[in-house]
Amino acid sequence: MIMIILKNEIKKEYSYFSALRHLRKVLNANEPELIEIYARKFSKHPGISYADLKAAIEDEYLTDEIIKKWQNEYAKFVYEHVEPIIKKVAHSAFSYSSKKLSFPQSSDTYETVNEWISKHLAEHITRITDDQQKALNYIIKRAVSTGETSSQLVKVIRPLVGLTKPQMTANYNYYNTLVDTLTKNGSTEKKAKETAHKKSLDYAARQHRKRAADIARTEMATAYNNSEYICVKEAQTKGYIRTLKKKWCTADNDGVCKNCRSLEGVEVDINEMFQTYFGAVLVPPAHTRCRCVVLYIEVE
């Protein structure tokens, strides 16, 4: 995809909707595989064993050692299974964009893109690890306050490893509400917990699937849009295009969130950040599952 309007070459003007179609084509072709990879990863919970989590519950927090172990496992997973797909998407964006700009490719075509991918994935691993530590510490602290044994709590908490804090909270609330409801309706406490645990496992499986889709779709959109930006910048540096500005474009449908809709048509210099509700971004996505794109406009 390349959405760019060149000032003096109308023949190189590419339609917004055709650009969106190409973005969706690339993402739709790769999303199912990456979602499945993430779903399997989160369902297995490598890096945090029952023994690790049981010790954390007894200590009332995850030790740095446990978190480091989880981070290493997650990093190994990312570089073995996620990076190849992210590279495929990013390289596709760069290649397609360079062809549209008549910007010749060479042996080092993807060097800048690969450097960006390495930096981005390292930041992604750190962010996911930090979020996981905060989420687990929160749910552990809350669970310990109930007075349940560590053996009972570890069965409830371990299936939640990999979920976000809101997802963990929702699942834990669901479990406790179900236990209370079942006991009030005549079930023994043991039976109520067994039933609630089975149902919370099913709920967790659905949450992990959603979590997988959220990450996969957001990471691929991030890779695509940033690779396109890198291509445009390199073409500009080498004189194929002149001064540019960026224009924020939404999918213009009912799925667009109100925050992104408020950005529709906003223009900034190519080097400037878009100021979104979720924070400053160089290019979309602005948030999880964001499908916004950028139109580049040559101004001189």
Side-chain angles (χ1 to χ4, degrees):
M1 178 191 82
I2 181 66
M3 295 206 307
I4 181 166
I5 299 176
L6 303 180
K7 190 173 182 181
N8 298 316
E9 296 183 82
I10 301 302
K11 66 180 181 179
K12 287 189 177 181
E13 180 175 336
Y14 308 108
S15 79
Y16 164 61
F17 289 108
S18 66
L20 273 177
R21 284 196 296 271
H22 189 269
L23 171 64
R24 288 169 181 163
K25 179 181 178 181
V26 173
L27 298 189
N28 290 343
N30 292 280
E31 275 183 1
E33 181 183 4
L34 191 55
I35 289 173
E36 190 59 36
I37 287 171
Y38 263 108
R40 290 200 305 267
K41 161 69 180 179
F42 288 141
S43 66
K44 293 179 181 178
H45 318 302
I48 298 183
S49 66
Y50 273 100
D52 289 334
L53 193 52
K54 188 171 185 293
I57 292 170
E58 291 170 353
D59 293 336
E60 298 188 22
Y61 72 98
L62 289 166
T63 64
D64 291 340
E65 182 180 0
I66 293 174
I67 286 298
K68 187 64 177 178
K69 181 180 176 183
W70 191 87
Q71 183 179 43
N72 289 340
E73 288 284 347
Y74 186 69
K76 181 180 178 182
F77 159 78
V78 167
Y79 291 125
E80 286 186 3
H81 302 288
V82 178
E83 184 178 37
I85 297 177
I86 294 299
K87 277 189 174 181
K88 182 164 63 172
V89 170
H91 291 178
S92 174
F94 192 100
S95 178
Y96 187 85
S97 300
S98 62
K99 288 177 182 177
K100 288 293 186 181
L101 289 171
S102 299
F103 171 38
Q105 301 180 52
S106 62
S107 58
D108 62 349
T109 291
Y110 301 124
E111 182 178 348
T112 306
V113 174
N114 290 339
E115 289 175 357
W116 176 86
I117 291 172
S118 294
K119 181 175 181 291
H120 173 72
L121 289 181
E123 292 171 347
H124 168 79
I125 290 165
T126 298
R127 182 175 66 256
I128 292 293
T129 301
D130 288 346
D131 290 346
Q132 190 63 190
Q133 182 175 22
K134 292 174 183 176
L136 280 170
N137 277 334
Y138 167 79
I139 212 71
I140 285 171
K141 183 176 181 180
R142 181 177 168 187
V144 168
S145 68
T146 65
E148 291 277 6
T149 66
S150 59
S151 296
Q152 175 62 34
L153 292 177
V154 73
K155 291 193 299 182
V156 177
I157 295 175
R158 191 163 184 269
L160 310 184
V161 175
L163 297 177
T164 64
K165 181 179 175 181
Q167 286 176 319
M168 286 187 187
T169 301
N171 193 294
Y172 190 66
N173 288 343
Y174 172 74
Y175 169 81
N176 285 311
T177 298
L178 195 54
V179 170
D180 289 342
T181 300
L182 291 171
T183 52
K184 287 178 181 178
N185 289 337
S187 290
T188 63
E189 184 177 5
K190 181 181 179 180
K191 182 62 176 178
K193 287 181 178 180
E194 288 176 352
T195 301
H197 180 55
K198 289 179 181 178
K199 290 185 177 295
S200 66
L201 283 176
D202 291 339
Y203 183 21
R206 296 193 298 275
Q207 290 176 303
H208 281 302
R209 174 64 61 171
K210 181 180 184 304
R211 175 70 165 149
D214 287 348
I215 293 178
R217 291 169 183 172
T218 305
E219 287 304 305
M220 285 195 292
T222 300
Y224 200 110
N225 283 304
N226 277 275
S227 186
E228 178 191 46
Y229 176 81
I230 290 169
C231 179
V232 171
K233 285 291 292 181
E234 289 198 0
Q236 184 184 47
T237 299
K238 295 180 180 180
Y240 287 88
I241 47 180
R242 293 173 290 184
T243 304
L244 298 171
K245 59 183 177 181
K246 300 178 295 190
K247 182 178 180 179
W248 190 281
C249 301
T250 70
D252 195 28
N253 57 36
D254 293 339
V256 177
C257 74
K258 65 178 182 180
N259 298 298
C260 286
R261 193 173 296 283
S262 69
L263 289 168
E264 177 69 51
V266 171
E267 296 181 0
V268 299
D269 180 81
I270 190 172
N271 298 311
E272 290 182 29
M273 306 288 277
F274 286 104
Q275 302 302 318
T276 81
Y277 172 83
F278 308 95
V281 297
L282 190 62
V283 292
H287 58 85
T288 301
R289 294 191 183 226
C290 176
R291 278 292 180 269
C292 294
V293 291
V294 163
L295 174 65
Y296 295 93
I297 306 171
E298 192 174 42
V299 294
E300 64 175 54

